[in-house]
Short mmCIF file of all heavy atoms in Angstrom, two decimals:
data_model
loop_
_atom_site.label_atom_id
_atom_site.label_comp_id
_atom_site.label_asym_id
_atom_site.label_seq_id
_atom_site.Cartn_x
_atom_site.Cartn_y
_atom_site.Cartn_z
N SER A 33 -6.29 13.64 -14.65
CA SER A 33 -7.33 13.00 -13.84
C SER A 33 -7.19 11.49 -13.88
O SER A 33 -7.34 10.82 -12.87
CB SER A 33 -8.72 13.39 -14.36
OG SER A 33 -8.89 14.78 -14.25
N MET A 34 -6.90 10.94 -15.05
CA MET A 34 -6.74 9.49 -15.18
C MET A 34 -5.49 9.03 -14.42
O MET A 34 -5.49 7.97 -13.81
CB MET A 34 -6.65 9.07 -16.65
CG MET A 34 -7.95 9.28 -17.41
SD MET A 34 -9.39 8.56 -16.58
CE MET A 34 -8.99 6.84 -16.68
N PHE A 35 -4.42 9.83 -14.44
CA PHE A 35 -3.22 9.48 -13.70
C PHE A 35 -3.52 9.43 -12.20
O PHE A 35 -3.13 8.50 -11.52
CB PHE A 35 -2.11 10.50 -13.98
CG PHE A 35 -0.89 10.30 -13.11
CD1 PHE A 35 0.00 9.28 -13.39
CD2 PHE A 35 -0.67 11.11 -12.01
CE1 PHE A 35 1.10 9.09 -12.58
CE2 PHE A 35 0.42 10.91 -11.21
CZ PHE A 35 1.33 9.90 -11.49
N ILE A 36 -4.25 10.40 -11.71
CA ILE A 36 -4.60 10.45 -10.28
C ILE A 36 -5.50 9.27 -9.93
O ILE A 36 -5.30 8.62 -8.91
CB ILE A 36 -5.27 11.80 -9.93
CG1 ILE A 36 -4.24 12.92 -10.06
CG2 ILE A 36 -5.87 11.76 -8.53
CD1 ILE A 36 -4.84 14.29 -10.05
N LEU A 37 -6.48 8.97 -10.78
CA LEU A 37 -7.36 7.84 -10.53
C LEU A 37 -6.57 6.53 -10.49
O LEU A 37 -6.74 5.72 -9.58
CB LEU A 37 -8.44 7.77 -11.61
CG LEU A 37 -9.44 6.62 -11.50
CD1 LEU A 37 -10.20 6.72 -10.17
CD2 LEU A 37 -10.40 6.64 -12.66
N ASP A 38 -5.65 6.34 -11.45
CA ASP A 38 -4.81 5.14 -11.47
C ASP A 38 -3.95 5.08 -10.22
O ASP A 38 -3.80 4.03 -9.59
CB ASP A 38 -3.93 5.14 -12.72
CG ASP A 38 -3.03 3.91 -12.78
OD1 ASP A 38 -3.57 2.79 -12.79
OD2 ASP A 38 -1.79 4.09 -12.83
N TYR A 39 -3.39 6.22 -9.80
CA TYR A 39 -2.57 6.29 -8.60
C TYR A 39 -3.39 5.89 -7.37
O TYR A 39 -2.95 5.10 -6.55
CB TYR A 39 -2.03 7.71 -8.45
CG TYR A 39 -1.22 7.94 -7.21
CD1 TYR A 39 0.08 7.47 -7.09
CD2 TYR A 39 -1.75 8.65 -6.13
CE1 TYR A 39 0.82 7.68 -5.96
CE2 TYR A 39 -1.02 8.87 -4.99
CZ TYR A 39 0.27 8.39 -4.92
OH TYR A 39 1.00 8.60 -3.77
N CYS A 40 -4.63 6.38 -7.26
CA CYS A 40 -5.49 6.06 -6.13
C CYS A 40 -5.84 4.57 -6.11
O CYS A 40 -5.87 3.95 -5.05
CB CYS A 40 -6.77 6.89 -6.16
SG CYS A 40 -6.48 8.64 -5.81
N ILE A 41 -6.10 4.00 -7.28
CA ILE A 41 -6.41 2.57 -7.34
C ILE A 41 -5.21 1.75 -6.88
O ILE A 41 -5.35 0.80 -6.12
CB ILE A 41 -6.86 2.17 -8.76
CG1 ILE A 41 -8.22 2.78 -9.06
CG2 ILE A 41 -6.88 0.65 -8.93
CD1 ILE A 41 -8.64 2.69 -10.51
N ARG A 42 -4.00 2.14 -7.32
CA ARG A 42 -2.80 1.40 -6.89
C ARG A 42 -2.58 1.54 -5.39
O ARG A 42 -2.22 0.59 -4.72
CB ARG A 42 -1.57 1.88 -7.67
CG ARG A 42 -1.53 1.29 -9.08
CD ARG A 42 -0.25 1.61 -9.81
NE ARG A 42 -0.37 2.97 -10.33
CZ ARG A 42 0.55 3.91 -10.15
NH1 ARG A 42 1.64 3.68 -9.50
NH2 ARG A 42 0.37 5.12 -10.64
N ILE A 43 -2.82 2.71 -4.83
CA ILE A 43 -2.67 2.90 -3.39
C ILE A 43 -3.67 2.04 -2.65
O ILE A 43 -3.35 1.39 -1.66
CB ILE A 43 -2.84 4.39 -3.00
CG1 ILE A 43 -1.62 5.19 -3.43
CG2 ILE A 43 -3.05 4.53 -1.51
CD1 ILE A 43 -1.73 6.67 -3.16
N LYS A 44 -4.93 1.99 -3.13
CA LYS A 44 -5.96 1.19 -2.47
C LYS A 44 -5.55 -0.28 -2.44
O LYS A 44 -5.69 -0.96 -1.44
CB LYS A 44 -7.31 1.38 -3.15
CG LYS A 44 -8.45 0.74 -2.38
CD LYS A 44 -9.79 1.18 -2.90
CE LYS A 44 -10.88 0.69 -1.97
NZ LYS A 44 -12.17 1.24 -2.31
N ARG A 45 -5.03 -0.78 -3.58
CA ARG A 45 -4.56 -2.17 -3.62
C ARG A 45 -3.43 -2.40 -2.61
O ARG A 45 -3.41 -3.38 -1.90
CB ARG A 45 -4.08 -2.53 -5.02
CG ARG A 45 -5.19 -2.81 -5.98
CD ARG A 45 -4.62 -3.38 -7.27
NE ARG A 45 -5.54 -3.08 -8.34
CZ ARG A 45 -5.22 -2.47 -9.48
NH1 ARG A 45 -3.98 -2.10 -9.70
NH2 ARG A 45 -6.12 -2.22 -10.38
N ASN A 46 -2.48 -1.47 -2.57
CA ASN A 46 -1.36 -1.60 -1.65
C ASN A 46 -1.80 -1.51 -0.20
O ASN A 46 -1.28 -2.22 0.66
CB ASN A 46 -0.28 -0.55 -1.94
CG ASN A 46 0.47 -0.84 -3.21
OD1 ASN A 46 0.52 -1.98 -3.66
ND2 ASN A 46 1.05 0.18 -3.80
N MET A 47 -2.77 -0.63 0.11
CA MET A 47 -3.26 -0.51 1.48
C MET A 47 -3.96 -1.80 1.89
O MET A 47 -3.83 -2.24 3.02
CB MET A 47 -4.21 0.68 1.61
CG MET A 47 -3.48 2.00 1.58
SD MET A 47 -4.58 3.41 1.76
CE MET A 47 -4.82 3.40 3.51
N ALA A 48 -4.70 -2.42 0.95
CA ALA A 48 -5.38 -3.68 1.27
C ALA A 48 -4.36 -4.78 1.57
O ALA A 48 -4.59 -5.65 2.39
CB ALA A 48 -6.28 -4.10 0.11
N LYS A 49 -3.19 -4.72 0.92
CA LYS A 49 -2.14 -5.71 1.17
C LYS A 49 -1.32 -5.34 2.41
O LYS A 49 -0.47 -6.10 2.83
CB LYS A 49 -1.18 -5.77 -0.02
CG LYS A 49 -1.79 -6.29 -1.29
CD LYS A 49 -0.73 -6.25 -2.38
CE LYS A 49 -1.34 -6.32 -3.75
NZ LYS A 49 -0.35 -6.08 -4.80
N GLY A 50 -1.55 -4.17 2.96
CA GLY A 50 -0.78 -3.72 4.12
C GLY A 50 0.53 -3.07 3.74
O GLY A 50 1.38 -2.84 4.59
N ALA A 51 0.72 -2.76 2.45
CA ALA A 51 2.00 -2.22 2.00
C ALA A 51 2.10 -0.71 2.20
O ALA A 51 3.19 -0.18 2.31
CB ALA A 51 2.20 -2.55 0.52
N CYS A 52 0.99 -0.01 2.24
CA CYS A 52 1.00 1.45 2.36
C CYS A 52 0.56 1.83 3.76
O CYS A 52 -0.50 1.43 4.21
CB CYS A 52 0.05 2.05 1.32
SG CYS A 52 0.02 3.84 1.34
N LYS A 53 1.37 2.59 4.45
CA LYS A 53 1.05 3.00 5.82
C LYS A 53 1.06 4.52 5.88
O LYS A 53 1.92 5.17 5.32
CB LYS A 53 2.07 2.42 6.80
CG LYS A 53 2.04 0.90 6.83
CD LYS A 53 3.10 0.38 7.77
CE LYS A 53 3.05 -1.12 7.86
NZ LYS A 53 3.46 -1.83 6.69
N MET A 54 0.09 5.06 6.60
CA MET A 54 0.00 6.51 6.74
C MET A 54 1.20 7.07 7.50
O MET A 54 1.50 8.23 7.40
CB MET A 54 -1.30 6.90 7.45
CG MET A 54 -2.55 6.64 6.62
SD MET A 54 -2.58 7.55 5.09
CE MET A 54 -2.93 9.19 5.69
N SER A 55 1.89 6.22 8.26
CA SER A 55 3.03 6.71 9.05
C SER A 55 4.32 6.77 8.24
O SER A 55 5.35 7.20 8.74
CB SER A 55 3.22 5.80 10.27
OG SER A 55 3.51 4.48 9.84
N GLU A 56 4.29 6.31 6.98
CA GLU A 56 5.48 6.36 6.15
C GLU A 56 5.89 7.79 5.91
O GLU A 56 5.09 8.72 6.01
CB GLU A 56 5.21 5.70 4.79
CG GLU A 56 5.08 4.21 4.83
CD GLU A 56 4.81 3.62 3.45
OE1 GLU A 56 4.71 4.38 2.47
OE2 GLU A 56 4.68 2.40 3.39
#
Side-chain angles (χ1 to χ4, degrees):
S33 299
M34 293 309 295
F35 173 77
I36 292 167
L37 179 61
D38 179 59
Y39 177 76
C40 290
I41 290 169
R42 282 187 280 129
I43 287 177
K44 189 168 189 171
R45 282 190 206 126
N46 288 337
M47 287 181 80
K49 294 178 199 171
C52 182
K53 297 177 178 70
M54 291 299 286
S55 61
E56 288 180 359

